[in-house]
Amino acid sequence: MYERLRDLDEYVVTGFAEQAAYADELFSGSANTLRLVTMWNPEEDEPFVARGIHRIGTRETAPMDNWSRGGLGAEIDLATGELGEAVTFPFDGELVRHESHPDTGTRIEGTTIPGWERIREGLLEMAETVPYLPYAGWDLVVTAEGKFEVVEANGYPGVKSLQVHRPLLLDGRIRRFYTAHGVR
């Protein structure tokens, strides 16, 4: 195996994560990832999950789930893990809202991420280990109830897709975070 990999140049070799059944039912043509944004609460000196969006691929975006390329984004209720309605990028200036997946017909709104509380707590435990990263967008694949794999962490998690459901600054913790970091 080492000989096969030794001569590969400019490749990244990673593990493979198979998504949980609920995500596969939403759309099996892509890995349907969670984008969870953590921010460091300067008053309590700990991270919190500021916003969560479940990204879901479509025939147009497969094998990716990119919202800006035509995928769907459903806000996650951070207390329950329940998905709200999904929206597509406003290519023509208008958001298109979906209660169900436009290709599969599977209901999105009202779907609950299995083991959500363990996923949220597991992410916060990870974020706590990197206090020098006060703002991150974590892309996760849910692999089973309460279990996930990290795809990547982004230093700039895309504010537009995070605010499409409601403005970030409605949350006082988020406002205080931005104020503490000089963002106006």
Side-chain angles (χ1 to χ4, degrees):
M1 175 77 149
Y2 173 75
E3 285 74 29
R4 180 181 294 186
L5 299 176
R6 178 184 57 201
D7 296 327
L8 295 178
D9 236 356
E10 298 183 29
Y11 284 84
V12 175
V13 179
T14 67
F16 178 80
E18 190 169 327
Q19 69 185 350
Y22 88 94
D24 211 38
E25 288 173 18
L26 291 173
F27 183 72
S28 63
S30 67
N32 302 306
T33 59
L34 309 183
R35 166 65 59 88
L36 299 174
V37 175
T38 57
M39 294 179 172
W40 199 268
N41 185 330
E43 296 164 351
E44 297 176 13
D45 198 31
E46 65 183 13
F48 66 96
V49 179
R51 186 63 53 93
I53 303 294
H54 202 310
R55 299 182 304 187
I56 305 161
T58 63
R59 283 189 201 128
E60 187 177 329
T61 65
M64 309 293 279
D65 63 357
N66 296 46
W67 185 70
S68 61
R69 303 242 187 246
L72 306 171
E75 186 174 13
I76 302 167
D77 181 312
L78 298 178
T80 65
E82 184 175 307
L83 304 184
E85 69 180 1
V87 297
T88 55
F89 189 83
F91 290 107
D92 62 1
E94 302 252 345
L95 289 173
V96 179
R97 301 180 182 283
H98 305 271
E99 293 177 356
S100 299
H101 195 285
D103 297 327
T104 66
T106 303
R107 180 96 175 153
I108 296 170
E109 187 174 24
T111 297
T112 300
I113 300 167
W116 168 250
E117 188 172 322
R118 283 186 288 176
I119 292 168
R120 185 187 61 222
E121 295 308 315
L123 175 64
L124 287 172
E125 287 174 16
M126 281 188 344
E128 225 171 273
T129 67
V130 287
Y132 48 85
L133 191 61
Y135 178 62
W138 304 84
D139 293 345
L140 312 177
V141 174
V142 177
T143 57
E145 184 171 338
K147 298 184 183 298
F148 63 89
E149 295 288 333
V150 176
V151 176
E152 65 180 343
N154 298 279
Y156 179 73
V159 173
K160 187 183 288 187
S161 66
L162 298 172
Q163 295 196 99
V164 70
H165 297 280
R166 61 191 166 88
L168 286 168
L169 296 180
L170 290 178
D171 184 321
R173 293 180 307 169
I174 295 172
R175 267 195 326 276
R176 288 189 296 278
F177 171 84
Y178 282 133
T179 299
H181 289 275
V183 178
R184 308 230 183 268

